PDB file of all heavy atoms in Angstrom:
ATOM      1  N   GLY A 225     -33.891 -64.337 -32.785  1.00 79.00           N
ATOM      2  CA  GLY A 225     -33.512 -62.916 -32.736  1.00 79.00           C
ATOM      3  C   GLY A 225     -32.581 -62.502 -33.792  1.00 79.00           C
ATOM      4  O   GLY A 225     -31.877 -63.333 -34.414  1.00 79.00           O
ATOM      5  N   GLY A 226     -32.504 -61.215 -34.017  1.00 85.00           N
ATOM      6  CA  GLY A 226     -31.502 -60.654 -34.930  1.00 85.00           C
ATOM      7  C   GLY A 226     -30.194 -60.436 -34.245  1.00 85.00           C
ATOM      8  O   GLY A 226     -30.180 -59.973 -33.056  1.00 85.00           O
ATOM      9  N   VAL A 227     -29.128 -60.730 -34.914  1.00 87.00           N
ATOM     10  CA  VAL A 227     -27.820 -60.415 -34.353  1.00 87.00           C
ATOM     11  C   VAL A 227     -27.409 -58.951 -34.713  1.00 87.00           C
ATOM     12  O   VAL A 227     -27.109 -58.152 -33.890  1.00 87.00           O
ATOM     13  CB  VAL A 227     -26.712 -61.398 -34.840  1.00 87.00           C
ATOM     14  CG1 VAL A 227     -25.354 -61.059 -34.243  1.00 87.00           C
ATOM     15  CG2 VAL A 227     -27.135 -62.820 -34.395  1.00 87.00           C
ATOM     16  N   ASN A 228     -27.358 -58.685 -36.023  1.00 90.00           N
ATOM     17  CA  ASN A 228     -27.174 -57.296 -36.472  1.00 90.00           C
ATOM     18  C   ASN A 228     -27.467 -57.228 -37.966  1.00 90.00           C
ATOM     19  O   ASN A 228     -27.732 -58.232 -38.626  1.00 90.00           O
ATOM     20  CB  ASN A 228     -25.781 -56.796 -36.170  1.00 90.00           C
ATOM     21  CG  ASN A 228     -24.677 -57.320 -37.191  1.00 90.00           C
ATOM     22  OD1 ASN A 228     -24.815 -58.492 -37.617  1.00 90.00           O
ATOM     23  ND2 ASN A 228     -23.710 -56.510 -37.438  1.00 90.00           N
ATOM     24  N   MET A 229     -27.494 -55.996 -38.483  1.00 94.00           N
ATOM     25  CA  MET A 229     -27.773 -55.748 -39.882  1.00 94.00           C
ATOM     26  C   MET A 229     -26.686 -54.870 -40.459  1.00 94.00           C
ATOM     27  O   MET A 229     -26.063 -54.093 -39.790  1.00 94.00           O
ATOM     28  CB  MET A 229     -29.173 -54.991 -40.025  1.00 94.00           C
ATOM     29  CG  MET A 229     -30.336 -55.891 -39.751  1.00 94.00           C
ATOM     30  SD  MET A 229     -31.958 -55.003 -39.884  1.00 94.00           S
ATOM     31  CE  MET A 229     -32.114 -54.445 -38.147  1.00 94.00           C
ATOM     32  N   VAL A 230     -26.478 -55.033 -41.800  1.00 97.00           N
ATOM     33  CA  VAL A 230     -25.541 -54.194 -42.534  1.00 97.00           C
ATOM     34  C   VAL A 230     -26.154 -53.931 -43.969  1.00 97.00           C
ATOM     35  O   VAL A 230     -26.940 -54.716 -44.443  1.00 97.00           O
ATOM     36  CB  VAL A 230     -24.148 -54.799 -42.688  1.00 97.00           C
ATOM     37  CG1 VAL A 230     -23.491 -55.027 -41.288  1.00 97.00           C
ATOM     38  CG2 VAL A 230     -24.201 -56.122 -43.428  1.00 97.00           C
ATOM     39  N   GLU A 231     -25.649 -52.897 -44.605  1.00 98.00           N
ATOM     40  CA  GLU A 231     -26.009 -52.673 -45.987  1.00 98.00           C
ATOM     41  C   GLU A 231     -24.818 -53.245 -46.851  1.00 98.00           C
ATOM     42  O   GLU A 231     -23.700 -52.986 -46.541  1.00 98.00           O
ATOM     43  CB  GLU A 231     -26.131 -51.183 -46.261  1.00 98.00           C
ATOM     44  CG  GLU A 231     -26.403 -50.861 -47.707  1.00 98.00           C
ATOM     45  CD  GLU A 231     -26.476 -49.381 -48.025  1.00 98.00           C
ATOM     46  OE1 GLU A 231     -26.328 -48.566 -47.118  1.00 98.00           O
ATOM     47  OE2 GLU A 231     -26.627 -49.021 -49.222  1.00 98.00           O
ATOM     48  N   PHE A 232     -25.182 -53.940 -47.863  1.00 98.00           N
ATOM     49  CA  PHE A 232     -24.162 -54.557 -48.759  1.00 98.00           C
ATOM     50  C   PHE A 232     -24.685 -54.540 -50.163  1.00 98.00           C
ATOM     51  O   PHE A 232     -25.799 -55.010 -50.451  1.00 98.00           O
ATOM     52  CB  PHE A 232     -23.813 -55.960 -48.318  1.00 98.00           C
ATOM     53  CG  PHE A 232     -22.818 -56.579 -49.163  1.00 98.00           C
ATOM     54  CD1 PHE A 232     -21.509 -56.038 -49.323  1.00 98.00           C
ATOM     55  CD2 PHE A 232     -23.050 -57.811 -49.925  1.00 98.00           C
ATOM     56  CE1 PHE A 232     -20.544 -56.639 -50.119  1.00 98.00           C
ATOM     57  CE2 PHE A 232     -22.074 -58.391 -50.664  1.00 98.00           C
ATOM     58  CZ  PHE A 232     -20.834 -57.802 -50.827  1.00 98.00           C
ATOM     59  N   LEU A 233     -23.977 -53.884 -51.058  1.00 98.00           N
ATOM     60  CA  LEU A 233     -24.343 -53.750 -52.443  1.00 98.00           C
ATOM     61  C   LEU A 233     -25.758 -53.225 -52.660  1.00 98.00           C
ATOM     62  O   LEU A 233     -26.534 -53.622 -53.514  1.00 98.00           O
ATOM     63  CB  LEU A 233     -24.219 -55.081 -53.179  1.00 98.00           C
ATOM     64  CG  LEU A 233     -22.796 -55.746 -53.148  1.00 98.00           C
ATOM     65  CD1 LEU A 233     -22.826 -57.033 -53.928  1.00 98.00           C
ATOM     66  CD2 LEU A 233     -21.740 -54.791 -53.738  1.00 98.00           C
ATOM     67  N   GLY A 234     -26.086 -52.235 -51.754  1.00 98.00           N
ATOM     68  CA  GLY A 234     -27.366 -51.543 -51.869  1.00 98.00           C
ATOM     69  C   GLY A 234     -28.549 -52.227 -51.218  1.00 98.00           C
ATOM     70  O   GLY A 234     -29.635 -51.729 -51.271  1.00 98.00           O
ATOM     71  N   ASN A 235     -28.299 -53.406 -50.650  1.00 98.00           N
ATOM     72  CA  ASN A 235     -29.420 -54.180 -50.059  1.00 98.00           C
ATOM     73  C   ASN A 235     -29.141 -54.351 -48.516  1.00 98.00           C
ATOM     74  O   ASN A 235     -28.033 -54.218 -48.070  1.00 98.00           O
ATOM     75  CB  ASN A 235     -29.604 -55.544 -50.712  1.00 98.00           C
ATOM     76  CG  ASN A 235     -29.928 -55.451 -52.173  1.00 98.00           C
ATOM     77  OD1 ASN A 235     -30.899 -54.770 -52.515  1.00 98.00           O
ATOM     78  ND2 ASN A 235     -29.115 -56.079 -53.015  1.00 98.00           N
ATOM     79  N   LEU A 236     -30.190 -54.668 -47.759  1.00 98.00           N
ATOM     80  CA  LEU A 236     -30.091 -54.834 -46.337  1.00 98.00           C
ATOM     81  C   LEU A 236     -29.959 -56.296 -45.989  1.00 98.00           C
ATOM     82  O   LEU A 236     -30.686 -57.161 -46.473  1.00 98.00           O
ATOM     83  CB  LEU A 236     -31.316 -54.296 -45.668  1.00 98.00           C
ATOM     84  CG  LEU A 236     -31.317 -54.229 -44.138  1.00 98.00           C
ATOM     85  CD1 LEU A 236     -30.247 -53.274 -43.611  1.00 98.00           C
ATOM     86  CD2 LEU A 236     -32.716 -53.783 -43.604  1.00 98.00           C
ATOM     87  N   TYR A 237     -28.929 -56.646 -45.151  1.00 97.00           N
ATOM     88  CA  TYR A 237     -28.656 -58.017 -44.750  1.00 97.00           C
ATOM     89  C   TYR A 237     -28.805 -58.108 -43.209  1.00 97.00           C
ATOM     90  O   TYR A 237     -28.361 -57.238 -42.513  1.00 97.00           O
ATOM     91  CB  TYR A 237     -27.245 -58.459 -45.151  1.00 97.00           C
ATOM     92  CG  TYR A 237     -27.109 -58.684 -46.614  1.00 97.00           C
ATOM     93  CD1 TYR A 237     -27.078 -57.694 -47.498  1.00 97.00           C
ATOM     94  CD2 TYR A 237     -27.035 -60.042 -47.132  1.00 97.00           C
ATOM     95  CE1 TYR A 237     -26.883 -57.953 -48.903  1.00 97.00           C
ATOM     96  CE2 TYR A 237     -26.918 -60.285 -48.484  1.00 97.00           C
ATOM     97  CZ  TYR A 237     -26.856 -59.225 -49.346  1.00 97.00           C
ATOM     98  OH  TYR A 237     -26.750 -59.503 -50.711  1.00 97.00           O
ATOM     99  N   LEU A 238     -29.448 -59.202 -42.783  1.00 95.00           N
ATOM    100  CA  LEU A 238     -29.730 -59.444 -41.389  1.00 95.00           C
ATOM    101  C   LEU A 238     -29.216 -60.821 -40.987  1.00 95.00           C
ATOM    102  O   LEU A 238     -29.518 -61.827 -41.636  1.00 95.00           O
ATOM    103  CB  LEU A 238     -31.276 -59.394 -41.125  1.00 95.00           C
ATOM    104  CG  LEU A 238     -31.785 -59.999 -39.799  1.00 95.00           C
ATOM    105  CD1 LEU A 238     -31.258 -59.175 -38.621  1.00 95.00           C
ATOM    106  CD2 LEU A 238     -33.303 -60.080 -39.830  1.00 95.00           C
ATOM    107  N   GLY A 239     -28.386 -60.870 -39.982  1.00 92.00           N
ATOM    108  CA  GLY A 239     -27.953 -62.138 -39.391  1.00 92.00           C
ATOM    109  C   GLY A 239     -28.811 -62.476 -38.179  1.00 92.00           C
ATOM    110  O   GLY A 239     -29.140 -61.566 -37.421  1.00 92.00           O
ATOM    111  N   THR A 240     -29.162 -63.752 -38.041  1.00 87.00           N
ATOM    112  CA  THR A 240     -30.043 -64.112 -36.963  1.00 87.00           C
ATOM    113  C   THR A 240     -29.405 -65.250 -36.137  1.00 87.00           C
ATOM    114  O   THR A 240     -28.399 -65.873 -36.527  1.00 87.00           O
ATOM    115  CB  THR A 240     -31.428 -64.653 -37.469  1.00 87.00           C
ATOM    116  OG1 THR A 240     -31.244 -65.955 -38.016  1.00 87.00           O
ATOM    117  CG2 THR A 240     -31.995 -63.744 -38.474  1.00 87.00           C
TER     118      THR A 240
END
Side-chain angles (χ1 to χ4, degrees):
V227 180
N228 76 326
M229 288 178 270
V230 297
E231 178 184 358
F232 181 59
L233 301 181
N235 300 306
L236 186 63
Y237 286 75
L238 164 67
T240 75

